Amino acid sequence: MATTSKRYQLTPEQVALSEERKAKKLKSTALQQNNNAGRIIERCWIPTGLQSGQQGDQRVKVFTWNLLAQCLVRRELFPTSDCLKANQREQMLYRELLSTQADILCLQEVDRLEKIIPALNKAGYAHHYAAGPGKKHGCLIAFKKQLYTMISAKTILYDVEEVRSDGDDAARRGKSFETKNIGSLVSLQSNTAGKAEGLIVATTHLFWHPRYTYERARQAGILVRETNNFRKELDVEHWPCIIGGDFNFAPDDIAYSLLVGDSILSEQKDVITPSYVVHMSVDPSAVPDPRPEAGEGNEESGDPDKVITSARAATPSDGLLSLTELSNFFARIPSLRSAYDVGLARIKNLGDLQTFGSRVNLGSDRRGRYEPEYTSYTHYWKTTLDYIFVLDPIDRESNVVALLSPHRTKDLEHGLPQTGVSSSDHVSLAAEFCWSRDKLTYKVNLSIEAETES
């Protein structure tokens, strides 16, 4: 006689336990996939050898990065990149944004706010966002809510800012191109020390066109002038100013030299002179300069990114600052110090880490030699464009005590963005600053270090 076996029935408790195990496994798998998707090259912090300060000194860790706005991504611009879609870049972007645990984030080319802002909020950041007229991406400053409270904010519209007092509206602005670029400023008060301690933070993305050297120098000068004025207006000149961003010029550019207080070189004059033009965005009646921009023997022929088109030569009535006037303009504003140029210069042994001065021959008396070798690296362009500058308070001077290690060039050789390296075509930078209680403490520290070195 045949017998039939009765199928074993799980109890409700066993079913619940089984479902719980399945859910854990799915969550673990999803987490592992996110970790793989978000993998980037980890970078260490490099101590500069300067004293990190005493208890009670002001300290801050600042991060800057051009995210590469998704709305600007084009396959033809990044032919060697393997992660140009938003879902391919997203987890890498979050990891790089948050891995340094910086107190302040200065971000450029920020779009897809519905994704980025929740991630920042979850990580404990508040933020301020600003964009130029009609632009689909902008600048964002984020700060740790437990450390700072935003007191005020200001947006600098470079197109409307004046650089001289004489002439009509257009001449007082002295611009060569209507760029819609901006600078974004915030004042952040310490949650523990009140008005006695705080920061002015600025970020910017200057005009991109390689040939508009004058316009970038104009915008850079306006940024520093307005940042300094912002601090004065708030009556907080004892607060440091941090300026991080994508300046779209290299350390051998005239704008960099003017910002840090170096003299202008003859070769820099040669580069800026052809950019004294007025584009049709400023003067619609402008016709192309009759001087040849492209043609036989010009390797840049036909490339609109490398030549000036739809513009005429500037005249005195256009108000563009002459080289002498430009120098005088910068002489009236404070000079900046670059975190990387100051910090890496103090490290006696950089090992295999290359700097801008490793590939470009700058004089030993010129600033900029110790900027990262590259901060933007793609199939078509490879250069240094991004910086963290500091404008110290009137009563104290800053120590750069640590820097986020720049990428090794060998890690970038396939061109950014790249899976497992970075989600942007720009390299993020970060620096840790310390402000001693007064100048006397700072000078004593430097004297001790000088004696030790000798």
Side-chain angles (χ1 to χ4, degrees):
M1 182 178 176
T3 60
T4 58
S5 60
K6 187 176 181 181
R7 186 176 180 183
Y8 177 73
Q9 297 292 320
L10 295 175
T11 66
E13 291 80 8
Q14 290 171 320
V15 170
L17 182 60
S18 176
E19 292 300 320
E20 183 181 350
R21 287 172 177 166
K22 288 179 182 178
K24 284 183 178 179
K25 186 175 181 180
L26 288 172
K27 184 177 180 180
S28 176
T29 301
L31 183 61
Q32 183 62 40
Q33 289 173 343
N34 276 342
N35 284 339
N36 289 336
R39 182 171 51 86
I40 59 174
I41 290 180
E42 301 294 337
R43 296 152 62 195
C44 64
W45 283 89
I46 308 173
T48 64
L50 282 176
Q51 294 184 20
S52 58
Q54 305 172 19
Q55 187 174 2
D57 286 349
Q58 184 176 1
R59 303 174 65 93
V60 66
K61 192 181 288 186
V62 181
F63 172 99
T64 188
W65 195 25
N66 179 322
L67 304 188
L68 177 57
Q70 191 63 37
C71 65
L72 300 180
V73 172
R74 301 289 183 273
R75 165 53 65 186
E76 58 269 22
L77 296 178
F78 308 102
T80 63
S81 297
D82 61 355
C83 54
L84 295 181
K85 294 181 179 179
N87 62 352
Q88 295 172 323
R89 302 173 57 210
E90 192 167 347
Q91 295 305 317
M92 287 196 295
L93 186 147
Y94 296 155
R95 179 168 294 189
E96 190 152 356
L97 269 181
L98 305 176
S99 61
T100 61
Q101 299 183 341
D103 305 318
I104 309 289
L105 307 176
C106 295
L107 309 178
Q108 308 86 46
E109 285 196 23
V110 181
D111 62 357
R112 303 182 78 238
L113 295 176
E114 73 282 0
K115 297 286 187 178
I116 291 175
I117 290 175
L120 291 174
N121 289 341
K122 186 178 179 180
Y125 291 95
H127 75 279
H128 174 73
Y129 174 83
K135 289 218 172 188
K136 296 180 180 179
H137 59 87
C139 296
L140 187 148
I141 297 172
F143 52 93
K144 285 188 176 178
K145 291 182 283 190
Q146 71 180 72
L147 297 179
Y148 299 103
T149 297
M150 189 174 79
I151 303 302
S152 57
K154 177 179 180 178
T155 300
I156 305 168
L157 300 174
Y158 295 127
D159 289 338
V160 302
E161 289 290 335
E162 297 182 354
V163 294
R164 60 167 72 247
S165 57
D166 57 310
D168 59 18
D169 287 348
R172 290 197 301 273
R173 291 169 182 167
K175 64 184 178 183
S176 61
F177 203 114
E178 185 92 7
T179 74
K180 301 182 181 178
N181 290 78
I182 66 163
S184 179
L185 314 177
V186 298
S187 59
L188 302 177
Q189 183 171 290
S190 167
N191 288 342
T192 56
K195 193 174 180 180
E197 190 172 294
L199 291 166
I200 303 297
V201 180
T203 191
T204 193
H205 188 189
L206 300 188
F207 188 41
W208 64 270
H209 197 296
R211 291 296 177 258
Y212 277 85
T213 306
Y214 166 82
E215 186 57 35
R216 263 187 305 281
R218 171 186 171 274
Q219 293 180 358
I222 289 170
L223 174 65
V224 179
R225 181 190 69 185
E226 294 306 304
T227 300
N228 194 42
N229 288 344
F230 187 59
R231 181 169 68 173
K232 287 180 179 178
E233 291 162 4
L234 295 172
D235 193 24
V236 289
E237 289 185 87
H238 57 290
W239 287 10
C241 299
I242 300 291
I243 305 176
D246 176 359
F247 289 77
N248 268 319
F249 54 67
D252 57 351
D253 187 272
I254 190 172
Y256 184 97
S257 296
L258 289 167
L259 276 182
V260 300
D262 274 354
S263 59
I264 299 176
L265 302 175
S266 59
E267 51 264 42
Q268 293 174 329
K269 294 179 182 178
D270 293 340
V271 172
I272 194 173
T273 298
S275 70
Y276 277 86
V277 300
V278 175
H279 187 260
M280 64 183 302
S281 58
V282 176
D283 177 8
S285 67
V287 294
D289 192 310
R291 293 172 297 177
E293 294 180 325
E296 289 187 23
N298 188 341
E299 294 179 354
E300 297 169 352
S301 174
D303 187 341
D305 292 354
K306 294 184 177 181
V307 297
I308 291 177
T309 60
S310 303
R312 60 168 174 80
T315 65
S317 63
D318 294 313
L320 277 66
L321 298 175
S322 68
L323 279 172
T324 299
E325 290 173 323
L326 194 61
S327 296
N328 292 338
F329 181 89
F330 277 87
R332 292 191 293 270
I333 59 180
S335 296
L336 304 181
R337 299 168 69 228
S338 165
Y340 274 80
D341 193 45
V342 170
L344 289 182
R346 290 199 57 85
I347 300 174
K348 294 180 179 179
N349 183 9
L350 292 173
D352 63 346
L353 185 63
Q354 301 293 298
T355 65
F356 184 80
S358 303
R359 66 180 180 88
V360 177
N361 185 22
L362 294 179
S364 59
D365 60 334
R366 306 292 294 182
R367 296 174 179 87
R369 291 182 297 134
Y370 288 93
E371 297 291 357
E373 183 178 20
Y374 297 103
T375 67
S376 183
Y377 200 102
T378 75
H379 178 73
Y380 288 117
W381 62 90
K382 303 166 181 62
T383 189
T384 301
L385 303 172
D386 306 82
Y387 309 95
I388 300 174
F389 292 113
V390 60
L391 175 58
D392 283 320
I394 59 173
D395 60 342
R396 292 170 294 159
E397 295 183 61
S398 57
N399 287 343
V400 180
V401 298
L403 296 164
L404 184 63
S405 174
H407 276 294
R408 267 61 178 179
T409 304
K410 64 181 181 181
D411 295 327
L412 307 175
E413 59 187 10
H414 294 298
L416 298 177
Q418 200 69 225
T419 299
V421 181
S422 177
S423 63
S424 175
D425 58 332
H426 284 252
V427 174
S428 62
L429 304 176
E432 185 174 6
F433 295 92
C434 173
W435 287 269
S436 298
R437 291 173 182 167
D438 52 47
K439 283 188 176 181
L440 179 62
T441 304
Y442 175 80
K443 290 177 180 177
V444 168
N445 286 345
L446 287 185
S447 297
I448 292 172
E449 289 163 8
E451 290 175 7
T452 302
E453 290 175 3
S454 61

